[in-house]
Amino acid sequence: MVSQNFGIRELRSAAGAGIAFAAGCVVLLIAQQRRYAELRSRAERAERADWRRAMLAEQQGLQRYLLNKAIDDPDLAAVYSIAEAESPTQQRQFLFANALYTNTLLAYRSGIVSWEELHGHLRWICQNPIFRTYWQATRHQRASLKDASDEARVGQMMDSLIHDLDEADSDEWWVVGEPPPE
């Protein structure tokens, strides 16, 4: 009888170890599945970000093509821009100012430059009086932008920069203004 109890205890002990092993395997499998889902989600986000950057690059190429056409042909320029220019020369300058601004905005949106770097690029662009005239002439176009959009936030940064530069006591324009919080 003693040997039968010993065998049953051994069997129970082995069964308990087997159950513990199986439970450990289940816990490990669940952890692996969670990790796999997390990695899959990261990969999908990266793929979407890559797709967005590719689409932004394609859109920028189309923008550049349209701007070049408009700069080369005054008839097309009249369609492309609603900013009132005093001459065909000023209209081409406005189109080029738009190209500079749009290029800088798209560089930020595609992740090529940071918010702080964007601020520096815009501060440089603001030094040009023709660009400032363009910016003033197109203010009504920006009035309908949603405040939370990238373009509205960048436009507000540009407005603040121009104000700060106008109010600055220093000729050292490259140190004027701080980027607003992103």
Side-chain angles (χ1 to χ4, degrees), residues 101-114:
Y101 175 72
T102 302
N103 183 60
T104 305
L105 175 65
L106 289 173
Y108 167 70
R109 292 170 99 182
S110 62
I112 295 170
V113 299
S114 68

Side-chain angles (χ1 to χ4, degrees), residues 138-159:
T138 58
R139 72 186 178 287
H140 301 296
Q141 294 175 9
R142 293 183 301 281
S144 64
L145 296 173
K146 294 186 179 193
D147 289 339
S149 72
D150 285 341
E151 192 167 356
R153 291 177 37 246
V154 172
Q156 292 164 0
M157 182 192 298
M158 181 69 87
D159 291 338

Side-chain angles (χ1 to χ4, degrees), residues 1 14 43 64 98 100 129 148 170 172:
M1 193 76 158
R64 187 173 38 250
N98 176 268
L100 283 174
S170 172
E172 297 176 346

